[in-house]
Amino acid sequence: MELLEIKHMKKGFDGLSVLEDISLSVKEGEVTSIIGPSGSGKSTLLRCATMLERMDGGELKYLGEAAAWEENGRCVYAEKQKLRRIRKHFGLVFQNFNLFPHYTVLKNITDAPVSVDKTPKKEAEERAMKLLRQLGLEDKKDAYPYQLSGGQQQRASIARALALQPKILFFDEPTSALDPELTGDVLKVIRELAKEHMTMIIVTHEMQFAKELSDRIIFMERGVIRSQGKPEEIFSSPDERVREFIGKFTG
């Protein structure tokens, strides 16, 4: 089943095209990694897919439901109520954690389920504690973000995204703000999620990780998908540019 379908997505800023013509689809249980040089449009693709940015053109669907489409040469979005329902299908983990600094870890995780989904507080807290146990943060439930290491903050933000029980999870360079030692902790969590068949789209510079974990790797450059395929196909790509890029990270 296609959880996400993107057709001919376009996006520009101040007359400068950032996404030229992006089409991709993601099936349930699939892990897709997006790689490519800085400025290739990877984060913009995620922000458009999660409706943090409005597309200039193209079509966006979740579970067959249209969130946005083209009409008379412009991009039109579904009505608010429908978009609210569609947004529940996905979660997003940012590179800079984006936790609320004035909330405890537990409150960060339960806030959206209680206030947005109207989940009873007790149920939300039970779900949050289960996630914190899974992520090795049970003893940090009453801590504030500033009291956590970067790796712990990122695990807390993953727990927050999972608390809404999304069908698909987006990661925007989840380890780029972390030092190498803490990176391993976060990658371990993502590996565990993959074992549980969580559908994920991961923008990453961790090439070995992408190779081991992904069902498919997408290489982006200058706002287009230049190459995509299974990890072994991408890592032995006949495209010299793809090989050159991967070589920089794998030595």
Side-chain angles (χ1 to χ4, degrees):
M1 179 188 182
E2 307 283 4
L3 285 191
L4 169 68
E5 292 171 85
I6 293 171
K7 290 180 183 168
H8 310 299
M9 181 188 276
K10 296 178 188 68
K11 178 65 182 174
F13 295 99
D14 302 322
L16 185 72
S17 179
V18 178
L19 298 176
E20 294 276 356
D21 183 359
I22 300 286
S23 296
L24 64 93
S25 61
V26 179
K27 289 185 168 63
E28 195 167 4
E30 201 171 49
V31 177
T32 302
S33 289
I34 303 177
I35 64 172
S38 295
S40 57
K42 306 182 300 294
S43 290
T44 302
L45 167 56
L46 249 58
R47 291 179 69 82
C48 287
T50 54
M51 295 184 272
L52 290 172
E53 297 281 359
R54 288 181 75 90
M55 307 187 310
D56 294 335
E59 193 179 319
L60 176 65
K61 281 184 181 178
Y62 281 93
L63 280 76
E65 265 196 303
W69 59 92
E70 262 189 62
E71 224 171 72
N72 303 322
R74 54 188 285 268
C75 206
V76 178
Y77 279 75
E79 69 278 5
K80 279 183 181 173
Q81 201 173 352
K82 187 178 178 185
L83 288 180
R84 203 174 295 129
R85 188 173 70 244
I86 289 172
R87 278 193 178 95
K88 289 182 180 181
H89 295 323
F90 61 79
L92 176 60
V93 177
F94 300 88
Q95 53 185 304
N96 295 321
F97 326 132
N98 283 30
L99 295 167
F100 294 116
H102 55 295
Y103 285 174
T104 64
V105 167
L106 185 64
K107 172 86 165 143
N108 260 288
I109 295 167
T110 58
D111 186 56
V114 171
S115 58
V116 179
D117 276 1
K118 309 301 178 208
T119 304
K121 190 178 176 190
K122 187 171 183 289
E123 186 186 322
E125 286 186 351
E126 283 170 3
R127 192 189 300 165
M129 287 309 298
K130 187 181 174 190
L131 287 166
L132 287 173
R133 277 193 293 277
Q134 277 179 306
L135 299 176
L137 289 172
E138 192 176 6
D139 61 335
K140 300 293 183 188
K141 69 181 177 71
D142 297 321
Y144 288 86
Y146 78 90
Q147 296 171 309
L148 305 180
S149 71
Q152 288 169 335
Q153 287 188 58
Q154 192 57 293
R155 280 183 279 153
S157 72
I158 292 171
R160 182 180 59 182
L162 288 170
L164 287 165
Q165 301 179 312
K167 292 188 166 57
I168 182 167
L169 207 48
F170 293 89
F171 291 87
D172 187 7
E173 298 197 25
T175 59
S176 68
L178 304 176
D179 66 41
E181 199 175 343
L182 299 174
T183 292
D185 287 350
V186 173
L187 296 183
K188 186 180 168 194
V189 168
I190 298 172
R191 280 195 181 92
E192 291 300 318
L193 291 172
K195 279 184 196 164
E196 293 167 19
H197 306 292
M198 182 78 206
T199 311
M200 294 183 278
I201 295 182
I202 308 165
V203 169
T204 184
H205 284 303
E206 303 285 340
M207 292 301 133
Q208 199 53 41
F209 171 73
K211 186 180 183 181
E212 288 168 22
L213 198 75
S214 310
D215 296 297
R216 181 169 41 136
I217 296 177
I218 291 171
F219 177 80
M220 280 183 71
E221 188 168 46
R222 293 181 185 158
V224 299
I225 293 174
R226 179 158 176 162
S227 186
Q228 62 175 309
K230 292 178 178 168
E232 57 270 25
E233 293 168 344
I234 295 297
F235 274 72
S236 59
S237 173
D239 186 327
E240 194 179 325
R241 175 68 187 112
V242 178
R243 286 203 313 276
E244 179 202 0
F245 176 80
I246 289 172
K248 284 179 183 171
F249 290 91
T250 53

